[in-house]
Amino acid sequence: MELTDEQWAIINAPEHILKVNAVAGSGKTTTLLEYAKRRPKQRILYLTFNKSSSDEMKKKCLVAKLDNITVQTFHALAYYHANGRHYDLINDLSEWTIFDGYVKGELEDKRDNLLLISWLIKDMMVFYLNSSQFYIDEALLACYRNETRPQNKVDMLLSCYADFILKTIKTILTKMKQCEIPAIHDFYLKMFHLSKPTLFYDIILIDEAQDLSGVMLEVLKIQEASRIFVGDTFQQIYAFRYAINALDKIDCLEYSLTQTFRFDDSLARQISKIVNRGYSILNDRGHFLKIKGRHIEERIDCLKGDRQQIAVISRSVLKLFKEIAHYLGGDLKFYIEGGYESYGFMNARVFSVLYLYQGNFDKISDQFIRRFSRFRALRDFAKASQNRQLLNTCDLVQTYRENLFDINQKIKRRIVSKEEADVIFTTTHKAKGQEYQNVQMVKEDFITREQLENAVKKPDEFHFEKLREEINIFYVAATRAMDNISLHKF
């Protein structure tokens, strides 16, 4: 592939620190590999967002015979430098564990409120571990409040019990550090940050910079190595995991990759028109999508022919399940991007929520769900804590009830390899980094202009970051198609 002038400008860039805003399908990996090829004597660290991206990049470096590049995820880097193997690591610290060990007996309040306080302790602790904050104090509290915009009931509890929450977070993290209790994985990430590490590389290439967390960015800011932050402002869709857009936070010269090699110019113009209109409704004048497509004819809102493989992309997990159930009416074969089990459609927790809904308490095996006396209490907790995954599970159970068992078995019988599948099903988040010949965006599952306009009229409920992320989710889904797309009507 012949490189563009934009790509050559980055490859030959002399700056010590620079950022690259690269639209979807613009060949950023090709550009960075060529950048590395031109600097064979430089020690280069390539940081990726997740393990699958890391594994893919390692293969590309091997093919390109680039032995001066070390590829790692940020967590793997932190695990090594902060001696992560020293800790007994767990994936999650349950709210009920905090409730039993640190809250119950310490405060006098209703049980439901004590559980929400336990969740607040957990959520603010994870926020702190992923933030740029050094101290667990009032500044952290203010930052958490500003970033998460808690609901009224939760905000009231936060005000009433702020000192207790901060004190308990300190207690839990101290116990993790002293190995008195298991540590979560973000703990060694924070230890890495607090140690103010020096990374002994000449160049650090940071991929998916729009999804860095504050703690990652702070570590990178203090490095002496040359740094290139590469990402796409309009693909920032992980704010719920405390991601920040480093491209907006780094003050340096910005380069652009505006030419996509994935789809044609007519689709590029339509996507940019919708995205820029959405941003203008939010009165965001600081970002403007500029994207050029290939000079071929792409079919928009037209999926032609029979038995062509299509990818069905949803915004939400519940809508995706509904689409899969709808397709059971024919004889099509399915592939579920990221693996069927990863969506949590049917697992021990879903079964337990279903049994809680039915009142079959003896059948509940999930220890977290078992502690709730009724389904409504679980749903109220999920709403107050803004727990998307738990809300999805509650919605799934309420919608399909005992039919879930039958639907689940039918879906599993249809699943084949990606190459054999007639239909690929995926959420936007799992489609990130993927591309498909034909795409169908699920109707009524992405944000519309009317919804945006109504949202900005309610200043008390208006959450700029969340609404901007919804526009970005549309952009990510719409930019997955190579040939044909049934585009969501904005």
Side-chain angles (χ1 to χ4, degrees):
M1 181 183 74
E2 186 176 342
L3 297 174
T4 65
D5 291 343
E6 289 179 328
Q7 288 174 306
W8 279 119
I10 295 163
I11 292 163
N12 297 319
E15 288 82 14
H16 183 62
I17 302 175
L18 62 96
K19 54 187 175 183
V20 179
N21 221 325
V23 300
S26 59
K28 64 174 180 176
T29 303
T30 301
T31 306
L32 293 178
L33 287 174
E34 189 61 36
Y35 180 94
K37 281 181 186 178
R38 304 260 163 174
R39 294 157 179 82
K41 295 183 179 180
Q42 302 287 296
R43 293 167 301 167
I44 301 175
L45 173 63
Y46 193 110
L47 290 173
T48 65
F49 187 62
N50 54 39
K51 189 177 184 302
S52 61
S53 298
S54 176
D55 291 343
E56 184 180 344
M57 193 62 192
K58 285 176 183 177
K59 291 176 184 176
K60 289 180 179 179
C61 289
L62 194 63
V63 171
K65 298 180 180 179
L66 290 170
D67 54 8
N68 61 325
I69 294 185
T70 300
V71 182
Q72 283 190 306
T73 64
F74 212 101
H75 270 83
L77 185 71
Y79 181 85
Y80 173 78
H81 283 272
N83 196 21
R85 60 183 173 275
H86 175 69
Y87 304 104
D88 179 17
L89 295 170
I90 54 174
N91 291 324
D92 183 52
L93 182 64
S94 168
E95 291 88 339
W96 287 115
T97 300
I98 297 172
F99 177 93
D100 291 333
Y102 305 92
V103 177
K104 187 175 65 175
E106 297 294 326
L107 300 175
E108 292 185 7
D109 207 323
K110 293 188 298 184
R111 189 172 185 266
D112 289 351
N113 285 346
L114 294 181
L115 178 59
L116 279 175
I117 292 166
S118 302
W119 169 78
L120 266 171
I121 292 167
K122 171 185 174 178
D123 198 57
M124 195 185 300
M125 180 178 68
V126 174
F127 177 85
Y128 166 71
L129 295 177
N130 283 278
S131 76
S132 60
Q133 300 288 318
F134 266 82
Y135 304 106
I136 302 169
D137 55 12
E138 291 294 326
L140 171 67
L141 190 69
C143 186
Y144 174 80
R145 202 174 229 138
N146 182 59
E147 293 290 330
T148 62
R149 301 282 294 273
Q151 293 190 356
N152 291 338
K153 183 178 181 181
V154 173
D155 197 41
M156 180 190 68
L157 292 172
L158 192 56
S159 298
C160 291
Y161 297 106
D163 291 341
F164 175 79
I165 290 169
L166 292 173
K167 183 188 75 173
T168 307
I169 291 171
K170 290 178 184 178
T171 299
I172 293 172
L173 293 179
T174 299
K175 288 187 175 185
M176 287 183 183
K177 187 176 182 180
Q178 295 173 349
C179 298
E180 294 178 20
I181 61 172
I184 57 177
H185 286 270
D186 287 337
F187 176 77
Y188 61 75
L189 186 62
K190 195 65 177 183
M191 291 297 100
F192 181 49
H193 168 221
L194 295 177
S195 71
K196 298 183 179 180
T198 298
L199 302 175
F200 295 101
Y201 293 92
D202 301 306
I203 301 170
I204 303 175
L205 306 176
I206 304 101
D207 200 1
E208 302 292 349
Q210 78 282 346
D211 288 325
L212 283 180
S213 65
V215 70
M216 297 173 185
L217 182 56
E218 287 302 305
V219 169
L220 293 167
K221 277 183 177 180
I222 64 173
Q223 302 308 311
E224 294 182 4
S226 296
R227 282 146 287 162
I228 301 182
F229 295 85
V230 185
D232 183 351
T233 291
F234 299 96
Q235 290 198 59
Q236 186 194 10
I237 60 173
Y238 284 101
F240 66 93
R241 292 185 185 174
Y242 309 121
I244 60 172
N245 184 6
L247 301 175
D248 284 345
K249 302 292 184 181
I250 297 294
D251 185 18
C252 63
L253 187 64
E254 179 174 317
Y255 288 79
S256 297
L257 291 176
T258 61
Q259 171 70 60
T260 181
F261 301 99
R262 184 172 294 160
F263 46 81
D264 80 354
D265 202 46
S266 63
L267 178 57
R269 288 196 303 272
Q270 190 160 347
I271 291 172
S272 62
K273 181 180 178 181
I274 292 171
V275 170
N276 290 328
R277 185 182 296 167
Y279 270 66
S280 68
I281 292 171
L282 299 182
N283 200 29
D284 183 342
R285 308 299 179 188
H287 300 94
F288 185 85
L289 175 60
K290 184 180 179 183
I291 181 170
K292 300 173 289 186
R294 296 179 295 166
H295 294 293
I296 59 168
E297 181 183 357
E298 182 141 3
R299 292 168 175 82
I300 303 173
D301 298 324
C302 177
L303 297 178
K304 61 174 185 176
D306 296 326
R307 286 298 195 186
Q308 278 199 87
Q309 187 185 74
I310 65 168
V312 175
I313 304 180
S314 74
R315 162 65 182 86
S316 64
V317 171
L318 182 62
K319 276 283 189 179
L320 186 67
F321 188 84
K322 288 180 178 179
E323 285 295 308
I324 298 173
H326 172 73
Y327 273 83
L328 286 172
D331 60 350
L332 301 175
K333 291 172 285 189
F334 303 159
Y335 176 80
I336 315 296
E337 193 71 73
Y340 181 64
E341 301 301 327
S342 70
Y343 289 85
F345 292 139
M346 287 302 290
N347 54 29
R349 173 151 294 185
V350 178
F351 286 133
S352 292
V353 173
L354 176 60
Y355 294 138
L356 179 66
Y357 181 81
Q358 295 173 333
N360 293 327
F361 300 105
D362 293 340
K363 291 186 176 181
I364 298 174
S365 61
D366 187 290
Q367 295 302 311
F368 177 80
I369 304 301
R370 185 188 288 273
R371 297 289 293 270
F372 289 91
S373 59
R374 61 194 190 283
F375 179 81
R376 183 176 177 179
L378 174 67
R379 187 169 181 81
D380 287 346
F381 169 76
K383 282 184 177 179
S385 61
Q386 301 177 63
N387 187 323
R388 292 186 184 187
Q389 190 170 3
L390 195 54
L391 274 173
N392 282 334
T393 301
C394 290
D395 289 339
L396 198 66
V397 165
Q398 278 189 297
T399 303
Y400 292 98
R401 305 180 189 184
E402 59 275 357
N403 291 329
L404 277 171
F405 296 106
D406 183 48
I407 295 171
N408 178 55
Q409 291 303 315
K410 287 180 178 178
I411 291 171
K412 284 186 171 181
R413 287 195 289 267
R414 297 287 188 92
I415 294 175
V416 294
S417 69
K418 199 168 191 174
E419 294 73 26
E420 296 175 284
D422 300 301
V423 188
I424 298 169
F425 293 99
T426 180
T427 58
T428 305
H429 287 83
K430 289 192 184 292
K432 201 162 180 279
Q434 303 293 326
E435 57 184 19
Y436 309 100
Q437 294 296 133
N438 308 294
V439 168
Q440 176 182 309
M441 294 175 68
V442 174
K443 294 179 181 179
E444 300 177 0
D445 199 29
F446 294 85
I447 200 159
T448 65
R449 180 176 59 185
E450 183 181 3
Q451 289 171 332
L452 275 176
E453 290 172 343
N454 289 336
V456 298
K457 292 174 184 176
K458 302 174 183 177
D460 293 339
E461 301 175 21
F462 176 67
H463 195 318
F464 173 80
E465 295 297 341
K466 286 186 178 180
L467 291 173
R468 186 168 69 172
E469 187 168 287
E470 290 300 326
I471 300 170
N472 292 350
I473 288 171
F474 163 83
Y475 166 81
V476 172
T479 54
R480 298 308 97 191
M482 292 187 288
D483 291 338
N484 307 293
I485 184 168
S486 176
L487 199 63
H488 164 76
K489 287 182 170 35
F490 181 69

